Amino acid sequence: MSNIQLDGTHTPAKRGGEQVGYQGRKKCKTSNLLILVDRNGTPLTCSDPFAGNHHDTYKLVDRIDGMLRSIGTSNIPTEGLVLNADAGFDHSEFRKYCNQKDMIHNIAQNPRNGDQEDYLFDALLYQCRFVIERTNAWLDAFKALLIRFETKHLHWKALHLLAFCVLLLKRL
């Protein structure tokens, strides 16, 4: 494994429940979830759900740390990996965290953050991000994940983990 892709999802939560908040862009209550996939689009892990009234960088370092710990329990080393993420994850604290974990961050610069210090950005490697968008599209095929009807946030996460297993089994 040479690189991993990070992205978030905003799922409408029709029945409300835990970790739900109003998302103005979607004009409804939503839940967010961060997903990490490998370079082939195979889901590796996801964060715990959090309320949709927060942006993707809300407590990002804590969420990523938990996700990387869960990958570590599978004896998958994360040191030296390239982490691709879109401009929504362009946050100085997150970049520092990646450096501390010996990961190479390849994050598109967010123009709203203004001029930042120079850092390496590989546009060709960034194009590999399409695999996480494809994985999100595969996850949308699971109708139970497309709209959240579960009120317990751990039930909703468990459904995602089941979908991850199905996607992995299809690959094998």
Side-chain angles (χ1 to χ4, degrees):
M1 192 163 67
S2 58
N3 63 53
I4 55 178
Q5 322 300 324
L6 172 67
D7 203 7
T9 66
H10 293 269
T11 304
K14 296 298 183 184
R15 294 180 56 201
E18 300 172 343
Q19 300 300 330
V20 172
Y22 183 76
Q23 168 61 258
R25 183 172 54 95
K26 297 265 186 175
K27 297 181 180 166
C28 64
K29 292 181 179 179
T30 65
S31 286
N32 294 3
L33 195 73
L34 300 178
I35 300 174
L36 275 175
V37 302
D38 67 3
R39 66 184 181 94
N40 295 321
T42 305
L44 299 173
T45 186
C46 64
S47 69
D48 286 333
F50 56 101
N53 58 339
H54 300 294
H55 49 80
D56 287 339
T57 59
Y58 176 73
K59 296 186 180 181
L60 178 61
V61 171
D62 296 337
R63 295 182 196 292
I64 292 294
D65 192 53
M67 293 166 71
L68 292 179
R69 272 199 314 266
S70 72
I71 291 174
T73 59
S74 301
N75 294 324
I76 299 173
T78 57
E79 295 82 17
L81 286 179
V82 176
L83 185 137
N84 271 332
D86 62 14
F89 295 96
D90 185 14
H91 193 269
S92 59
E93 184 180 330
F94 180 51
R95 290 180 187 278
K96 289 176 188 173
Y97 174 79
C98 289
N99 290 335
Q100 290 172 353
K101 291 292 185 179
D102 294 326
M103 295 174 58
I104 302 163
H105 52 80
N106 194 43
I107 303 170
Q109 188 171 1
N110 192 335
R112 290 179 293 193
N113 291 345
D115 289 335
Q116 298 177 8
E117 69 276 354
D118 289 336
Y119 59 89
L120 295 176
F121 178 73
D122 188 343
L124 189 60
L125 185 60
Y126 185 75
Q127 291 177 358
C128 296
R129 270 199 79 255
F130 81 92
V131 297
I132 194 161
E133 302 299 343
R134 184 181 65 201
T135 300
N136 283 338
W138 287 339
L139 289 173
D140 285 348
F142 295 93
K143 299 304 179 193
L145 301 179
L146 191 57
I147 297 175
R148 178 181 165 186
F149 288 101
E150 291 74 29
T151 56
K152 301 286 186 190
H153 74 282
L154 288 179
H155 294 173
W156 190 57
K157 181 180 179 178
L159 285 175
H160 275 82
L161 296 176
L162 284 172
F164 291 177
C165 291
V166 169
L167 292 176
L168 178 64
L169 289 173
K170 283 184 178 181
R171 287 199 177 274
L172 297 176

